[in-house]
Structures are given as C-alpha cells and as structure tokens.
Amino acid sequence: MRSLFIILFFSLVTFQITAQVNTGNLSELRAKLIKPQGDVVQLQTTTGKKKTGVAILYSILLPGMGELYAGDYSLGKYFTIADGVLWATMFGFDIYGSRMEDNYKSYASSVGGADVTGKDEKYFADIGNYLGIEQYNRIKGLDRNFVEVYDNSSYEWKWASQSERREYRRMWKSSETAYNNIRFAAGALILNRIASAINAVRLVSKHNKKLEEELSWDVSFGVDKQLLLPTQLKMNCRVNF
C-alpha cells in the first residue's frame, strides 16, 4: 500500500507543476515578429510546436495533463476525474479489506482458538473450510498429502459449529474480494493512462498540423530599385480643316 501513496504523491506534484506550464495562448502563437533588413522586410512567426513525448509523460503521470499540455482539456478533464475516482476506489477497497482482515483474524483467535501470529494466507483460507485441525489433517492424510499437514501445537483451531465457520469465512471472503478489487482498480488506472496518452498524442498532432498550416510560414518581400518607370508622358494630336 505504501507504493500507492508514493505514486499518488508524484501524481499530485506533477499536476501542480503541469498546471503552471504555459501551454501557449493562441494569440501569442500568432504574434508576428517583423524585422526590417535594409530594403527587405521579413515577416516571421514562432511555431510553438508541442512534443509528443512530453504529452505522453504527462498523461502517464496524471491522465488529462497531456491534453492540457496540448492545449485542449475538454476531454482530458474526464481522464483526470476518472483517475481521482479510481484512486479513491482503490483506497476504499484497501481500507475495507484491511478492516475485514482484522475482524476475521480476531474472530479466529477469540472464537476458533487459533493462533494467528505469523500465519500465511493459506492457513487463514484453510480454517474457513474445515471445522478443526483434526478434520483437516485427517483429510490430508487420506489424500497422502502429508506436506500440507499442520502441526497441532502451533496451528490448532476448532469451530464449535458450522455457523461459526461460515461466519468466519464470510469475513475472510469479504476481505479477499476487496483486495482483489484493488487489482482491478489498478488495471483501470493503467488503462486510463494509456487512453489519455493516446488522446494527448492525437491532440498534439492536430495542434502541430494546424500550426504548419496557419503559422509555420516566413514571408519575405522587397522593393527592387532597378524597376524603371516612365518619367514623361507625350501625346500627339493632329486636326485637319
């Protein structure tokens, strides 16, 4: 769970940094720089092109930031919202799963007489399937699976009834389901970043193409001093009587 906090921390930092990035105002991109050079006047403009790699990086760190960098956050905001919802869902599942884990361990100790200290996940799954260690070891012995036989001195448990065992298994299953849902939420976070990166690349390509069509030009024009113009106009008129 600690890794989730680290990822969240860097995502928030990236969001703050990206929010301060000047994504380029359209009016600024269209600002023209006129440089007279003798009799030649050059009209230049800055391209303001975006980098695909930067857009992908922003989208991976925090979905929607790649779109913001590309200058179109209309769809990117939904990726950002989805990312926040998925993070909240992950933390919710983790908190619920941890609480149910504490509950079933406490129940196994107080009601089933189990020593839960230092036990692995298999042990907690097994005590929810069998009434006691005697039943468990007897079945494993009949199956010739002696490797999985538990030591009676340190792995003992015993449920007084099937209802107690089912109540324990209900809590155990709730915890396991919550932890499994975390994996699905993590997968959704990855897919959200991929989708945001693809969309950001599309917007960057669109942005750069538009600049090439509208702004990526350099016009030069000059006055030719050698151009000869007529200095006088002569008109002849003859009248006959």
Side-chain angles (χ1 to χ4, degrees):
M1 191 59 194
R2 183 179 301 175
S3 61
L4 297 180
F5 282 103
I6 295 175
I7 296 174
L8 179 61
F9 172 76
F10 281 109
S11 297
L12 293 175
V13 171
T14 305
F15 174 79
Q16 293 176 351
I17 294 175
T18 308
Q20 297 175 0
V21 173
N22 183 6
T23 58
N25 187 287
L26 184 58
S27 61
E28 294 178 353
L29 292 177
R30 295 189 177 186
K32 301 171 181 61
L33 180 61
I34 301 177
K35 294 182 179 180
Q37 297 181 356
D39 296 323
V40 179
V41 179
Q42 292 185 341
L43 186 60
Q44 299 177 336
T45 178
T46 57
T47 61
K49 286 188 175 182
K50 306 293 183 180
K51 296 182 179 179
T52 301
V54 175
I56 294 175
L57 178 62
Y58 284 170
S59 293
I60 291 176
L61 293 176
L62 184 60
M65 293 301 98
E67 287 88 337
L68 182 62
Y69 167 75
D72 186 355
Y73 194 52
S74 58
L75 184 59
K77 61 185 177 183
Y78 296 108
F79 289 108
T80 305
I81 293 173
D83 194 69
V85 171
L86 289 171
W87 275 110
T89 302
M90 285 186 64
F91 284 115
F93 281 136
D94 182 74
I95 293 173
Y96 178 77
S98 179
R99 181 167 64 85
M100 295 306 296
E101 182 180 358
D102 292 338
N103 288 345
Y104 76 67
K105 287 182 178 181
S106 176
Y107 188 85
S109 178
S110 60
V111 179
D115 181 8
V116 299
T117 304
K119 301 302 188 296
D120 58 13
E121 294 181 359
K122 181 181 180 302
Y123 175 76
F124 292 112
D126 289 336
I127 65 178
N129 294 324
Y130 302 90
L131 281 173
I133 191 172
E134 292 83 4
Q135 181 189 29
Y136 172 86
N137 284 342
R138 183 172 65 254
I139 293 175
K140 293 300 178 180
L142 292 174
D143 293 339
R144 301 291 182 179
N145 190 3
F146 300 107
V147 177
E148 294 186 0
V149 172
Y150 287 129
D151 181 8
N152 290 331
S153 62
S154 56
Y155 286 86
E156 184 178 3
W157 83 89
K158 185 175 180 59
W159 302 113
S161 64
Q162 290 287 357
S163 60
E164 289 182 354
R165 181 189 65 80
R166 285 193 291 267
E167 175 62 18
Y168 165 83
R169 183 164 179 79
R170 182 191 66 79
M171 291 185 288
W172 174 85
K173 189 174 182 179
S174 295
S175 177
E176 290 298 304
T177 301
Y179 285 140
N180 288 333
N181 288 338
I182 292 178
R183 298 184 181 95
F184 289 110
L189 281 169
I190 295 174
L191 291 177
N192 190 45
R193 279 159 169 75
I194 293 175
S196 176
I198 293 174
N199 188 52
V201 170
R202 180 184 66 84
L203 292 175
V204 167
S205 177
K206 180 180 179 181
H207 172 84
N208 291 340
K209 184 178 180 180
K210 185 176 181 181
L211 286 177
E212 290 175 358
E213 293 176 350
E214 297 182 359
L215 302 176
S216 298
W217 51 275
D218 188 346
V219 178
S220 299
F221 60 91
V223 179
D224 189 353
K225 290 185 177 180
Q226 303 300 321
L227 183 61
L228 298 178
L229 296 176
T231 58
Q232 57 179 323
L233 181 62
K234 182 178 181 180
M235 179 180 295
N236 296 322
C237 181
R238 188 172 66 177
V239 179
N240 294 323
F241 293 95

